[in-house]
mmCIF file of all heavy atoms in Angstrom:
data_model
loop_
_atom_site.group_PDB
_atom_site.id
_atom_site.type_symbol
_atom_site.label_atom_id
_atom_site.label_comp_id
_atom_site.label_asym_id
_atom_site.label_seq_id
_atom_site.Cartn_x
_atom_site.Cartn_y
_atom_site.Cartn_z
ATOM 1 N N TRP M 15 92.165 155.318 28.510
ATOM 2 C CA TRP M 15 93.055 156.463 28.424
ATOM 3 C C TRP M 15 92.484 157.588 27.426
ATOM 4 O O TRP M 15 92.726 158.682 27.687
ATOM 5 C CB TRP M 15 94.485 156.029 28.207
ATOM 6 C CG TRP M 15 94.758 155.328 26.917
ATOM 7 C CD1 TRP M 15 94.670 153.995 26.731
ATOM 8 C CD2 TRP M 15 95.055 155.967 25.644
ATOM 9 N NE1 TRP M 15 95.006 153.693 25.441
ATOM 10 C CE2 TRP M 15 95.227 154.840 24.679
ATOM 11 C CE3 TRP M 15 95.287 157.167 25.174
ATOM 12 C CZ2 TRP M 15 95.592 155.014 23.457
ATOM 13 C CZ3 TRP M 15 95.612 157.335 23.907
ATOM 14 C CH2 TRP M 15 95.743 156.284 23.004
ATOM 15 N N LYS M 16 92.016 157.171 26.289
ATOM 16 C CA LYS M 16 91.517 158.082 25.349
ATOM 17 C C LYS M 16 90.350 158.825 25.882
ATOM 18 O O LYS M 16 90.325 160.132 25.870
ATOM 19 C CB LYS M 16 91.110 157.424 23.990
ATOM 20 C CG LYS M 16 92.220 156.909 23.199
ATOM 21 C CD LYS M 16 91.725 156.261 21.964
ATOM 22 C CE LYS M 16 92.806 155.622 21.135
ATOM 23 N NZ LYS M 16 92.323 154.816 19.982
ATOM 24 N N GLU M 17 89.368 158.105 26.496
ATOM 25 C CA GLU M 17 88.214 158.767 26.988
ATOM 26 C C GLU M 17 88.552 159.662 28.218
ATOM 27 O O GLU M 17 87.871 160.684 28.475
ATOM 28 C CB GLU M 17 87.140 157.726 27.502
ATOM 29 C CG GLU M 17 86.558 156.910 26.386
ATOM 30 C CD GLU M 17 87.422 155.783 25.892
ATOM 31 O OE1 GLU M 17 88.572 155.591 26.343
ATOM 32 O OE2 GLU M 17 86.948 155.002 25.083
ATOM 33 N N LEU M 18 89.626 159.317 28.989
ATOM 34 C CA LEU M 18 90.029 160.104 30.145
ATOM 35 C C LEU M 18 90.994 161.218 29.701
ATOM 36 O O LEU M 18 91.405 161.984 30.582
ATOM 37 C CB LEU M 18 90.683 159.222 31.093
ATOM 38 C CG LEU M 18 89.752 158.213 31.811
ATOM 39 C CD1 LEU M 18 90.573 157.183 32.630
ATOM 40 C CD2 LEU M 18 88.698 158.802 32.636
ATOM 41 N N GLY M 19 91.359 161.273 28.469
ATOM 42 C CA GLY M 19 92.320 162.345 27.958
ATOM 43 C C GLY M 19 93.730 162.135 28.468
ATOM 44 O O GLY M 19 94.411 163.102 28.497
ATOM 45 N N LEU M 20 94.116 160.893 28.683
ATOM 46 C CA LEU M 20 95.447 160.627 29.172
ATOM 47 C C LEU M 20 96.331 160.278 27.973
ATOM 48 O O LEU M 20 96.732 159.141 27.847
ATOM 49 C CB LEU M 20 95.359 159.437 30.210
ATOM 50 C CG LEU M 20 94.505 159.579 31.348
ATOM 51 C CD1 LEU M 20 94.444 158.333 32.191
ATOM 52 C CD2 LEU M 20 94.868 160.848 32.229
ATOM 53 N N LEU M 21 96.557 161.258 27.193
ATOM 54 C CA LEU M 21 97.220 161.066 25.882
ATOM 55 C C LEU M 21 98.662 160.529 25.949
ATOM 56 O O LEU M 21 99.166 159.908 24.990
ATOM 57 C CB LEU M 21 97.176 162.350 25.068
ATOM 58 C CG LEU M 21 95.727 162.877 24.818
ATOM 59 C CD1 LEU M 21 95.803 164.121 23.925
ATOM 60 C CD2 LEU M 21 94.863 161.805 24.126
ATOM 61 N N ASP M 22 99.318 160.731 27.072
ATOM 62 C CA ASP M 22 100.667 160.220 27.274
ATOM 63 C C ASP M 22 100.591 158.769 27.808
ATOM 64 O O ASP M 22 101.742 158.133 27.933
ATOM 65 C CB ASP M 22 101.489 161.130 28.203
ATOM 66 C CG ASP M 22 100.956 161.219 29.554
ATOM 67 O OD1 ASP M 22 99.742 160.925 29.841
ATOM 68 O OD2 ASP M 22 101.707 161.649 30.450
ATOM 69 N N TYR M 23 99.555 158.245 28.146
ATOM 70 C CA TYR M 23 99.486 156.881 28.748
ATOM 71 C C TYR M 23 100.141 155.819 27.956
ATOM 72 O O TYR M 23 101.004 155.087 28.511
ATOM 73 C CB TYR M 23 98.004 156.537 29.080
ATOM 74 C CG TYR M 23 97.859 155.287 29.922
ATOM 75 C CD1 TYR M 23 97.948 155.354 31.302
ATOM 76 C CD2 TYR M 23 97.711 153.971 29.356
ATOM 77 C CE1 TYR M 23 97.954 154.204 32.102
ATOM 78 C CE2 TYR M 23 97.573 152.867 30.135
ATOM 79 C CZ TYR M 23 97.684 152.984 31.509
ATOM 80 O OH TYR M 23 97.550 151.896 32.253
ATOM 81 N N PRO M 24 99.960 155.721 26.625
ATOM 82 C CA PRO M 24 100.690 154.616 25.820
ATOM 83 C C PRO M 24 102.194 154.821 25.859
ATOM 84 O O PRO M 24 102.952 153.866 25.748
ATOM 85 C CB PRO M 24 100.034 154.732 24.475
ATOM 86 C CG PRO M 24 98.767 155.558 24.604
ATOM 87 C CD PRO M 24 99.016 156.444 25.831
ATOM 88 N N THR M 25 102.584 156.039 26.013
ATOM 89 C CA THR M 25 104.050 156.303 26.078
ATOM 90 C C THR M 25 104.681 155.925 27.365
ATOM 91 O O THR M 25 105.740 155.330 27.388
ATOM 92 C CB THR M 25 104.266 157.832 25.668
ATOM 93 O OG1 THR M 25 103.718 158.176 24.481
ATOM 94 C CG2 THR M 25 105.816 158.167 25.656
ATOM 95 N N VAL M 26 103.956 156.270 28.459
ATOM 96 C CA VAL M 26 104.467 155.999 29.775
ATOM 97 C C VAL M 26 104.290 154.571 30.161
ATOM 98 O O VAL M 26 105.174 153.914 30.812
ATOM 99 C CB VAL M 26 103.779 156.923 30.787
ATOM 100 C CG1 VAL M 26 104.223 156.596 32.247
ATOM 101 C CG2 VAL M 26 104.064 158.395 30.504
ATOM 102 N N ILE M 27 103.185 153.938 29.728
ATOM 103 C CA ILE M 27 102.860 152.583 30.017
ATOM 104 C C ILE M 27 102.909 151.790 28.714
ATOM 105 O O ILE M 27 101.858 151.599 28.050
ATOM 106 C CB ILE M 27 101.533 152.464 30.711
ATOM 107 C CG1 ILE M 27 101.415 153.348 31.942
ATOM 108 C CG2 ILE M 27 101.189 151.031 31.099
ATOM 109 C CD1 ILE M 27 102.411 153.046 33.063
ATOM 110 N N PRO M 28 104.031 151.168 28.369
ATOM 111 C CA PRO M 28 104.113 150.462 27.146
ATOM 112 C C PRO M 28 103.329 149.106 27.043
ATOM 113 O O PRO M 28 102.959 148.589 26.054
ATOM 114 C CB PRO M 28 105.602 150.194 26.976
ATOM 115 C CG PRO M 28 106.170 150.344 28.306
ATOM 116 C CD PRO M 28 105.311 151.254 29.069
ATOM 117 N N ARG M 29 103.084 148.574 28.230
ATOM 118 C CA ARG M 29 102.315 147.241 28.366
ATOM 119 C C ARG M 29 101.178 147.309 29.330
ATOM 120 O O ARG M 29 101.363 146.959 30.497
ATOM 121 C CB ARG M 29 103.334 146.104 28.603
ATOM 122 C CG ARG M 29 102.629 144.786 28.450
ATOM 123 C CD ARG M 29 103.673 143.630 28.525
ATOM 124 N NE ARG M 29 102.865 142.362 28.501
ATOM 125 C CZ ARG M 29 102.810 141.616 29.623
ATOM 126 N NH1 ARG M 29 103.365 141.947 30.755
ATOM 127 N NH2 ARG M 29 101.996 140.530 29.563
ATOM 128 N N PRO M 30 100.069 147.876 28.947
ATOM 129 C CA PRO M 30 98.957 147.990 29.899
ATOM 130 C C PRO M 30 98.443 146.597 30.285
ATOM 131 O O PRO M 30 98.596 145.619 29.553
ATOM 132 C CB PRO M 30 97.834 148.681 29.077
ATOM 133 C CG PRO M 30 98.547 149.259 27.874
ATOM 134 C CD PRO M 30 99.803 148.451 27.665
ATOM 135 N N MET M 31 97.922 146.446 31.502
ATOM 136 C CA MET M 31 97.394 145.225 31.948
ATOM 137 C C MET M 31 96.268 145.544 32.999
ATOM 138 O O MET M 31 96.329 146.539 33.655
ATOM 139 C CB MET M 31 98.467 144.373 32.612
ATOM 140 C CG MET M 31 98.124 143.003 33.018
ATOM 141 S SD MET M 31 97.430 141.940 31.707
ATOM 142 C CE MET M 31 98.711 141.902 30.484
ATOM 143 N N ASP M 32 95.308 144.668 33.019
ATOM 144 C CA ASP M 32 94.163 144.820 34.008
ATOM 145 C C ASP M 32 93.651 143.455 34.420
ATOM 146 O O ASP M 32 94.027 142.440 33.795
ATOM 147 C CB ASP M 32 93.058 145.705 33.348
ATOM 148 C CG ASP M 32 92.445 144.919 32.183
ATOM 149 O OD1 ASP M 32 93.021 145.062 31.095
ATOM 150 O OD2 ASP M 32 91.455 144.218 32.376
ATOM 151 N N LEU M 33 92.818 143.431 35.410
ATOM 152 C CA LEU M 33 92.390 142.099 35.946
ATOM 153 C C LEU M 33 91.466 141.327 34.975
ATOM 154 O O LEU M 33 91.569 140.092 34.934
ATOM 155 C CB LEU M 33 91.632 142.347 37.296
ATOM 156 C CG LEU M 33 92.499 142.885 38.479
ATOM 157 C CD1 LEU M 33 91.625 143.294 39.622
ATOM 158 C CD2 LEU M 33 93.510 141.791 38.819
ATOM 159 N N SER M 34 90.673 142.025 34.156
ATOM 160 C CA SER M 34 89.830 141.293 33.209
ATOM 161 C C SER M 34 90.670 140.631 32.136
ATOM 162 O O SER M 34 90.336 139.536 31.633
ATOM 163 C CB SER M 34 88.765 142.233 32.573
ATOM 164 O OG SER M 34 89.353 143.155 31.702
ATOM 165 N N THR M 35 91.770 141.259 31.735
ATOM 166 C CA THR M 35 92.654 140.635 30.725
ATOM 167 C C THR M 35 93.301 139.446 31.271
ATOM 168 O O THR M 35 93.364 138.399 30.653
ATOM 169 C CB THR M 35 93.673 141.667 30.224
ATOM 170 O OG1 THR M 35 93.024 142.820 29.688
ATOM 171 C CG2 THR M 35 94.656 141.044 29.245
ATOM 172 N N VAL M 36 93.831 139.521 32.640
ATOM 173 C CA VAL M 36 94.405 138.366 33.249
ATOM 174 C C VAL M 36 93.457 137.183 33.293
ATOM 175 O O VAL M 36 93.724 136.100 33.011
ATOM 176 C CB VAL M 36 95.005 138.736 34.649
ATOM 177 C CG1 VAL M 36 95.409 137.460 35.421
ATOM 178 C CG2 VAL M 36 96.105 139.739 34.554
ATOM 179 N N GLN M 37 92.171 137.542 33.762
ATOM 180 C CA GLN M 37 91.154 136.537 33.858
ATOM 181 C C GLN M 37 90.796 135.826 32.529
ATOM 182 O O GLN M 37 90.676 134.655 32.399
ATOM 183 C CB GLN M 37 89.955 137.135 34.421
ATOM 184 C CG GLN M 37 88.835 136.036 34.734
ATOM 185 C CD GLN M 37 87.638 136.645 35.485
ATOM 186 O OE1 GLN M 37 87.441 137.854 35.538
ATOM 187 N NE2 GLN M 37 86.829 135.793 36.048
ATOM 188 N N SER M 38 90.721 136.681 31.472
ATOM 189 C CA SER M 38 90.457 136.154 30.167
ATOM 190 C C SER M 38 91.597 135.259 29.616
ATOM 191 O O SER M 38 91.367 134.247 28.898
ATOM 192 C CB SER M 38 90.145 137.232 29.143
ATOM 193 O OG SER M 38 91.218 137.998 28.857
ATOM 194 N N ILE M 39 92.836 135.579 29.965
ATOM 195 C CA ILE M 39 93.988 134.732 29.544
ATOM 196 C C ILE M 39 93.907 133.406 30.356
ATOM 197 O O ILE M 39 94.092 132.297 29.770
ATOM 198 C CB ILE M 39 95.290 135.415 29.751
ATOM 199 C CG1 ILE M 39 95.362 136.637 28.800
ATOM 200 C CG2 ILE M 39 96.412 134.494 29.503
ATOM 201 C CD1 ILE M 39 96.627 137.600 29.033
ATOM 202 N N LEU M 40 93.611 133.480 31.638
ATOM 203 C CA LEU M 40 93.525 132.308 32.484
ATOM 204 C C LEU M 40 92.381 131.394 31.956
ATOM 205 O O LEU M 40 92.553 130.211 31.987
ATOM 206 C CB LEU M 40 93.288 132.690 33.949
ATOM 207 C CG LEU M 40 94.429 133.210 34.718
ATOM 208 C CD1 LEU M 40 94.032 133.773 36.028
ATOM 209 C CD2 LEU M 40 95.526 132.229 34.878
ATOM 210 N N ASN M 41 91.260 132.053 31.535
ATOM 211 C CA ASN M 41 90.095 131.225 31.128
ATOM 212 C C ASN M 41 90.238 130.755 29.642
ATOM 213 O O ASN M 41 89.480 129.925 29.158
ATOM 214 C CB ASN M 41 88.868 132.015 31.218
ATOM 215 C CG ASN M 41 88.490 132.422 32.557
ATOM 216 O OD1 ASN M 41 88.838 131.759 33.547
ATOM 217 N ND2 ASN M 41 87.648 133.425 32.718
ATOM 218 N N GLY M 42 91.245 131.251 28.972
ATOM 219 C CA GLY M 42 91.502 130.893 27.524
ATOM 220 C C GLY M 42 90.470 131.560 26.645
ATOM 221 O O GLY M 42 90.312 131.143 25.505
#
Side-chain angles (χ1 to χ4, degrees):
W15 60 271
K16 287 180 186 174
E17 293 83 354
L18 295 170
L20 307 174
L21 302 181
D22 64 341
Y23 190 82
T25 305
V26 176
I27 304 298
R29 189 168 172 253
M31 188 55 60
D32 64 277
L33 293 171
S34 69
T35 300
V36 171
Q37 184 174 18
S38 68
I39 295 170
L40 285 170
N41 295 340

